[in-house]
Amino acid sequence: MNANVMINWTDVGAAIEVDRQSARRVETAMGPIAVFRTLADEYYAVFDRCPHKGGPLSEGIVHGRAIACPLHNWSISLESGEALGADAGKGCTPTVPLKVEDGRILLGLP
Amino acid sequence: MTQCKAQDKERLVVIGAGMAGGRIVEEILKRDEQRFEISIIGAENCATYDRIQLSPVLAGEKVFDDIVTHSQEWYDANAIKTHFGYWVQSIDTVAKSITLHDGLVIGYDKLILAMGSDPIRLPLPGADLAGVVAFRDLHDVDLMQKAAENGGEAVVIGGGLLGLEAAYGLAKRGMKATVIHLVDVLMERQLDEAAGRLLEKALAERGVGSILNAQSEAILGETHVEGLKLKDGRIIPATLLVQAVGIRPHVEPAKSSGLTVERGIVVDDQMRTSDPDIFAVGECVQHRGQCYGLVAPIWDMCRTLADVLTGKNPNAEYHGSNLATRLKVSGVDLYSAGQFAGGEGCEDIVFRDPGRGVYKRIVIKDDKLVGTVLFGEAGDGGWYFDLMKKGESVADIRDTLIFGQAVTHALAGQDPSDAVAAWPDDTEVCGCNGVSKGQVVAAITAGNDTLDKVRSCSKASASCGSCTGIVESLLKCTLGDKFKAQTGPKPMCKCTEHGHSHVRQAIVEQKLSNIPDVMQALKWTTPDGCSSCRPALNYYLLCAWPKQYKDDPRSRFVNERNHANIQKDGTYSVVPRMWGGITSAKELRAIADVVDKYDVPMVKVTGGQRLDLFGIKKQDLPAVWADLNAAGMVSGHAYAKALRTVKTCVGSEWCRFGTQDSTGLGVKLEQATWGSYMPHKFKMAVSGCPRNCAEATIKDFGVVCVDSGYELHVAGNAGIHVRVTDLLTKVATEEEALEWSMAYVQLYREDAWYLERTAPWVERVGLQFVKDGLATPEQRAALVARFLESQEVYQVDPWAEHAPKSEPAKVFSPLADLRDGVTQDHLTTTQEPAE
């Protein structure tokens, strides 16, 4: 993101509200964002749209630091938003800055 | 119109763009890219494809794009002029030019004939009827595929390699296929009688019947083929008739242009015809009296000719080829090479294991291996073939030779890979693609550290696959411990080296009780698997330990987590169960109310006789379920790897033809089996009479009622590849039908791999395995007991579990809603510059 833009750290809920290896959806004016929690309790947020056919990534299977889209099984990196494996280079989902403070999930929104 | 000679390159024209034509061009370019200005003419209106792979295309195991070897783009990129869809009218050997059928004249300095062969057509009455085809090119495959779409009966004349592959492909596409063969052993040119019988049996299990010792007399029909009449008077009905009796070298226009032609175009050891500037390769050729119809000789000829033409080795000579054959019928492992039939001075060593369907025979003459037939286990074919080609004495290893390479080398105190390591660099590893040991090792040292990478880089082991073991040995001795061989069956996914069967067995034997334990014990390479293995492991665990294991929703596909079918727009469809396809005013009213209340955009009647409500939002799902539950309806599991529906006809209660209460039995079947998770979806049907209105013979389990009882059919499938069921057994009472259905379901649950429908499962394990597993009352009772134990846990309505008592479960609603007009108590924002 551009350093001139102010981002709002927005509290979207308690960290424990997202189960391990799962995701929850956050509705925003820019469209839905998916908040993920991995097996290792790392949290990530990306737009809830697969770059392939727009599938809801929040409904996929979380594995490692990746999410398998429920529609056609593309694997998307939660760190970069890039498609992985055989579909690498074919598309990218925008990521959203996220931090967990005092047990709360904060999303960095413009 | 004529073409001018460009620059001062020699003009090389290749007639024929099949396997030989494509290969000779490639071999020449490999040696010298600059020397020739090349044109290629092909009668088929497409680029070069691997004709051998038409069988898998016909069987639906591959598509055309998979088998293209030299695409139009490839020819363009190599500046080769292509004339596809054209054929050659004449060759003028004096003016050194050829004339295409549209009149175009092309001059040449060197001409290569790679015209292939034509299928032999028997001069039978009726041979010109519609529906009579050969099996030679893409056009034939198209015709056969179209014919197979309507099902019906296919007759294939000719029980050789091609005929059997054609019949198998048609059977896989849902036709009833029968092979008519003149002599009493299938593939008699490649197989001895014992192997021929095993093949006959294996084909029968795959839906291909054989009629041996049968001579065809006439093809019957008015305008379209209706049947085949044999000399002995029998009439075999057919809606498609395939002639696969052999091939004949294609010799025109070589013959009319004055070249020496006997059975094929006669060439010398340098592939030169009677005209010194005209050469020929492939199936159109007759070399030392021999015509070939297999691929290996074509490659040998092309290498020799490319050496000669480019001057790389002007003295190269072709001396004929050893022949090996492998049948491309899925699950039938068959290999034959050399003089398998023996003869004077030959000795046989034979290994038989009828229980496993394995038969091996090797033929030794003067202490040398001269032939082999392998059935059921053909992995050592390449090794035997290599011993045969080398012609060295096998006296020292004769004791163990029949047990194959691994045993022979282990007992000789020698690691098989040591032997490979000792080979000189120019030893040919891959006969199909002409790749030497040195080239494979170079590919490995360049960083290709897996079999797949070596395949795509060097092409070694990329065609028939018989040299796979050798390439793996080379990987092993080049990379040492860094190479992990892909042993045994295909791994479940990239997270493990183990196949499905091994994992299932380990779960039971080592009493592994949850997914992390399985991954730990079997050394998974990823921390928490992937979207392929996790759902499979979840299923295997819940099947093995129904009472102890707790289902893991995070390892379930979205539909099974949300108990509805996700659609392309992210909404869901909901299907309530209607037992046996029967509904009532109360249920219909409740459904209509749901449609109104939740603005359901579409209601569709499914193929399984249920109602499907489309376009429901995720957050509405729990409330929809609650409303349907209130009217007494439960989840139809239309989204699950589980029992879907039991389709029924009205049966004896209403129908004037009905023989039994098919609706009643359908309801009972559904009540017994609903809720049970399975490797894949599972559909049933009950038809009240053999008219089969419920289409029971394309279901995973189908019952056809007859006057005397119930025919139980298994392993049918609609979908891409229609498969008609196999008859499992016939029983007299409803109770028995129910018992068999549950025992069969449990056998499938315990044995099939995850995501394997019953049709491919039965094709993989064989119908006999299923029959054997269900043969005695004790076996069935044990299976039913295990099934019922699982049902105690899993026969619960997932909707009732998740439907809201007061407010929807949190996972069905968003974590937060930040859109305008939505307020949330905990929302706080702080501002800071972005990093």
Side-chain angles (χ1 to χ4, degrees):
Chain A
M1 257 188 214
N2 190 317
N4 300 326
V5 177
M6 294 296 281
I7 58 169
N8 295 316
W9 285 106
T10 305
D11 184 329
V12 293
I16 53 162
E17 293 279 321
V18 185
D19 292 336
R20 252 181 216 154
Q21 291 176 307
S22 298
R24 294 289 300 280
R25 200 176 220 209
V26 174
E27 303 287 354
T28 79
M30 298 174 295
I33 291 170
V35 175
F36 294 91
R37 176 174 167 192
T38 69
L39 181 68
D41 287 337
E42 300 153 327
Y43 286 77
Y44 295 97
V46 305
F47 276 79
D48 198 14
R49 273 184 63 80
C50 180
H52 176 218
K53 301 261 179 179
L57 295 173
S58 57
E59 299 291 352
I61 289 178
V62 180
H63 57 102
R65 289 175 182 159
I67 178 71
C69 176
L71 289 196
H72 307 96
N73 208 26
W74 275 35
S75 235
I76 309 293
S77 162
L78 295 178
E79 298 171 281
S80 66
E82 294 282 351
L84 299 170
D87 302 307
K90 291 195 213 159
C92 181
T93 290
T95 58
V96 179
L98 177 148
K99 61 183 179 183
V100 176
E101 278 177 7
D102 301 328
R104 306 294 300 178
I105 300 167
L106 306 176
L107 292 187
L109 300 169
Chain B
M1 197 167 95
T2 56
Q3 282 190 340
C4 316
K5 186 170 172 176
Q7 300 129 21
D8 41 9
K9 282 188 183 180
E10 273 188 279
R11 293 165 307 172
L12 174 69
V13 173
V14 180
I15 303 181
M19 298 179 72
R23 178 57 72 111
I24 185 63
V25 172
E26 185 183 331
E27 292 286 344
I28 287 170
L29 291 175
K30 228 195 267 180
R31 286 162 180 74
D32 189 343
E33 286 184 0
Q34 299 302 326
R35 184 177 184 119
F36 297 104
E37 180 199 280
I38 303 176
S39 303
I40 187 163
I41 294 108
E44 280 188 82
N45 202 0
C46 61
T48 303
Y49 59 87
D50 186 347
R51 199 178 298 281
I52 300 175
Q53 301 294 334
L54 282 176
S55 297
V57 170
L58 176 64
E61 292 158 358
K62 288 193 176 168
V63 297
F64 180 68
D65 283 349
D66 295 339
I67 69 168
V68 172
T69 55
H70 302 86
S71 62
Q72 181 71 54
E73 292 73 36
W74 182 87
Y75 285 111
D76 292 345
N78 286 292
I80 290 159
K81 288 202 186 85
T82 58
H83 303 267
F84 296 146
Y86 290 84
W87 51 96
V88 177
Q89 201 86 304
S90 59
I91 304 170
D92 185 335
T93 56
V94 180
K96 294 180 79 168
S97 67
I98 63 169
T99 306
L100 301 189
H101 76 279
D102 67 344
L104 180 72
V105 176
I106 303 176
Y108 66 82
D109 297 306
K110 293 277 188 288
L111 181 66
I112 299 176
L113 309 176
M115 303 183 299
S117 56
D118 298 314
I120 295 175
R121 289 167 195 273
L122 295 175
L124 297 174
D128 52 352
L129 288 170
V132 178
V133 301
F135 183 24
R136 173 70 191 168
D137 57 25
L138 199 59
H139 177 66
D140 298 327
V141 171
D142 272 346
L143 286 175
M144 285 154 76
Q145 284 176 343
K146 287 214 178 74
E149 277 168 15
N150 301 319
E153 286 145 326
V155 165
V156 178
I157 305 181
L161 192 66
L162 209 57
L164 297 181
E165 292 182 359
Y168 168 73
L170 292 167
K172 264 210 90 175
R173 292 211 171 251
M175 298 192 85
K176 180 176 182 297
T178 307
V179 170
I180 310 293
H181 197 44
L182 194 58
V183 296
D184 63 350
V185 178
L186 293 171
M187 285 180 70
E188 80 285 355
R189 286 171 62 190
Q190 287 90 16
L191 295 187
D192 58 14
E193 192 177 339
R197 293 285 167 262
L198 285 172
L199 177 59
E200 211 178 308
K201 193 164 153 257
L203 288 169
E205 284 167 9
R206 283 161 182 79
V208 177
S210 316
I211 300 180
L212 304 178
N213 276 324
Q215 202 172 347
S216 307
E217 186 173 87
I219 301 170
L220 310 176
E222 295 280 321
T223 56
H224 194 282
V225 58
E226 289 165 23
L228 176 72
K229 184 172 184 217
L230 302 180
K231 275 263 158 64
D232 62 14
R234 274 184 290 180
I235 290 175
I236 323 293
T239 51
L240 175 72
L241 188 136
V242 182
Q243 294 212 35
V245 290
I247 52 170
R248 181 183 288 139
H250 185 110
V251 295
E252 281 305 334
K255 196 172 179 183
S256 48
S257 69
L259 298 180
T260 305
V261 171
E262 289 169 10
R263 270 190 307 146
I265 302 164
V266 177
V267 294
D268 64 14
D269 286 353
Q270 294 204 314
M271 314 317 298
R272 194 177 287 104
T273 66
S274 53
D275 181 307
D277 289 321
I278 303 181
F279 301 80
V281 285
E283 291 178 345
C284 61
V285 156
Q286 177 180 329
H287 172 262
R288 297 191 184 182
Q290 180 101 28
C291 296
Y292 292 102
L294 291 169
V295 70
I298 300 182
W299 297 168
D300 293 343
M301 292 178 199
C302 287
R303 279 193 289 273
T304 303
L305 178 56
D307 279 348
V308 171
L309 279 180
T310 59
K312 189 180 176 232
N313 176 7
N315 301 318
E317 286 187 351
Y318 171 71
H319 295 147
S321 296
N322 274 312
L323 295 181
T325 307
R326 197 177 278 272
L327 184 70
K328 285 165 294 302
V329 168
S330 298
V332 180
D333 220 1
L334 186 159
Y335 187 90
S336 95
Q339 304 172 36
F340 60 88
E344 204 171 324
C346 289
E347 300 164 274
D348 281 356
I349 302 177
V350 177
F351 173 94
R352 273 198 184 86
D353 184 348
R356 285 190 304 139
V358 174
Y359 171 88
K360 302 181 189 183
R361 176 199 196 100
I362 52 180
V363 183
I364 294 175
K365 187 176 182 181
D366 301 331
D367 282 338
K368 288 173 190 162
L369 190 62
V370 295
T372 183
V373 180
L374 308 172
F375 190 95
E377 243 180 43
D380 282 308
W383 182 60
Y384 290 132
F385 192 54
D386 200 52
L387 288 174
M388 234 177 275
K389 282 200 288 190
K390 283 198 183 121
E392 290 165 9
S393 165
V394 293
D396 292 346
I397 52 172
R398 186 181 165 127
D399 294 355
T400 55
L401 197 55
I402 192 80
F403 301 109
Q405 182 178 24
V407 171
T408 301
H409 283 150
L411 291 180
Q414 187 189 16
D415 187 325
S417 59
D418 291 346
V420 177
W423 287 0
D425 273 355
D426 60 356
T427 308
E428 185 172 273
V429 169
C430 173
C432 294
N433 295 300
V435 187
S436 68
K437 178 197 159 194
Q439 289 168 302
V440 173
V441 172
I444 297 168
T445 37
N448 298 290
D449 57 357
T450 66
L451 183 61
D452 279 344
K453 287 185 195 166
V454 172
R455 271 186 188 146
S456 54
C457 165
S458 72
K459 280 195 178 176
S461 130
S463 291
C464 82
S466 62
C467 62
T468 302
I470 300 172
V471 176
E472 279 185 334
S473 291
L474 286 172
L475 276 158
K476 199 170 141 206
C477 55
T478 311
L479 298 174
D481 291 341
K482 278 182 277 173
F483 173 65
K484 283 207 189 73
Q486 188 181 312
T487 49
K490 205 171 158 235
M492 275 177 67
C493 66
K494 60 178 175 21
C495 306
T496 176
E497 63 195 37
H498 301 297
H500 286 265
S501 300
H502 178 84
V503 172
R504 286 203 89 162
Q505 205 180 342
I507 288 172
V508 175
E509 283 174 2
Q510 302 177 34
K511 304 215 166 14
L512 304 172
S513 62
N514 57 55
I515 292 177
D517 283 359
V518 176
M519 292 183 172
Q520 174 83 24
L522 298 177
K523 300 194 171 65
W524 241 246
T525 58
T526 47
D528 57 349
C530 69
S531 56
S532 298
C533 58
R534 281 235 308 278
L537 294 180
N538 186 54
Y539 169 72
Y540 292 154
L541 286 161
L542 75 80
C543 180
W545 321 115
K547 294 229 162 128
Q548 296 79 28
Y549 179 69
K550 193 172 170 303
D551 183 47
D552 176 19
R554 297 160 311 178
S555 299
R556 283 210 181 254
F557 179 61
V558 55
N559 289 356
E560 293 183 320
R561 213 176 324 118
N562 291 341
H563 305 286
N565 270 327
I566 197 165
Q567 303 298 320
K568 62 191 273 193
D569 63 353
T571 65
Y572 292 81
S573 87
V574 167
V575 181
R577 199 166 279 290
M578 287 177 176
W579 307 96
I582 299 171
T583 186
S584 66
K586 184 186 171 199
E587 289 182 352
L588 291 172
R589 233 172 244 125
I591 290 171
D593 288 343
V594 163
V595 171
D596 286 345
K597 185 168 165 189
Y598 299 96
D599 281 333
V600 172
M602 181 162 90
V603 183
K604 167 91 178 66
V605 180
T606 70
Q609 303 179 333
R610 307 294 185 267
L611 289 174
D612 199 342
L613 316 183
F614 281 90
I616 295 176
K617 296 176 201 72
K618 184 187 175 190
Q619 56 267 34
D620 288 338
L621 285 173
V624 168
W625 299 336
D627 287 3
L628 293 170
N629 275 167
M633 282 181 278
V634 298
S635 163
H637 287 90
Y639 48 81
K641 317 282 180 245
L643 174 77
R644 292 290 177 86
T645 62
V646 183
K647 187 174 183 175
T648 64
C649 68
V650 291
S652 55
E653 198 186 345
W654 296 93
C655 175
R656 63 204 163 100
F657 298 115
T659 62
Q660 310 281 357
D661 178 13
S662 51
T663 18
L665 177 56
V667 171
K668 286 177 194 158
L669 278 171
E670 190 160 359
Q671 284 173 340
T673 52
W674 75 277
S676 170
Y677 286 114
M678 307 199 198
H680 210 307
K681 61 185 170 186
F682 193 95
K683 300 179 178 182
M684 301 206 233
V686 186
S687 283
C689 78
R691 285 168 191 76
N692 194 12
C693 294
E695 295 161 352
T697 47
I698 51 164
K699 300 295 184 218
D700 295 282
F701 184 85
V703 181
V704 176
C705 302
V706 291
D707 276 326
S708 54
Y710 305 84
E711 289 175 4
L712 307 183
H713 298 260
V714 296
N717 198 201
I720 301 173
H721 307 302
V722 179
R723 183 182 194 276
V724 174
T725 44
D726 295 312
L727 179 64
L728 178 63
T729 189
K730 200 183 144 189
V731 295
T733 65
E734 267 197 351
E735 288 66 40
E736 290 170 285
L738 282 164
E739 184 213 13
W740 277 84
S741 74
M742 286 187 276
Y744 173 71
V745 164
Q746 185 65 11
L747 187 66
Y748 168 59
R749 296 182 75 226
E750 291 177 3
D751 190 77
W753 298 339
Y754 189 65
L755 295 187
E756 188 174 40
R757 290 287 300 270
T758 56
W761 170 58
V762 168
E763 298 217 335
R764 176 170 64 82
V765 300
L767 181 63
Q768 200 55 45
F769 169 87
V770 177
K771 286 187 168 171
D772 292 347
L774 300 171
T776 67
E778 293 74 31
Q779 286 173 309
R780 295 196 296 277
L783 286 162
V784 170
R786 292 202 291 279
F787 180 70
L788 293 176
E789 189 193 1
S790 163
Q791 287 294 74
E792 282 176 41
V793 180
Y794 285 99
Q795 200 168 58
V796 290
D797 176 24
W799 289 0
E801 280 195 328
H802 296 282
K805 307 295 178 267
S806 52
E807 59 182 272
K810 64 167 194 184
V811 292
F812 287 95
S813 52
L815 178 63
D817 195 334
L818 309 179
R819 290 171 297 188
D820 289 345
V822 182
T823 57
Q824 264 167 338
D825 298 341
H826 67 254
L827 271 186
T828 54
T829 63
T830 51
Q831 286 203 334
E832 60 180 71
E835 286 128 39

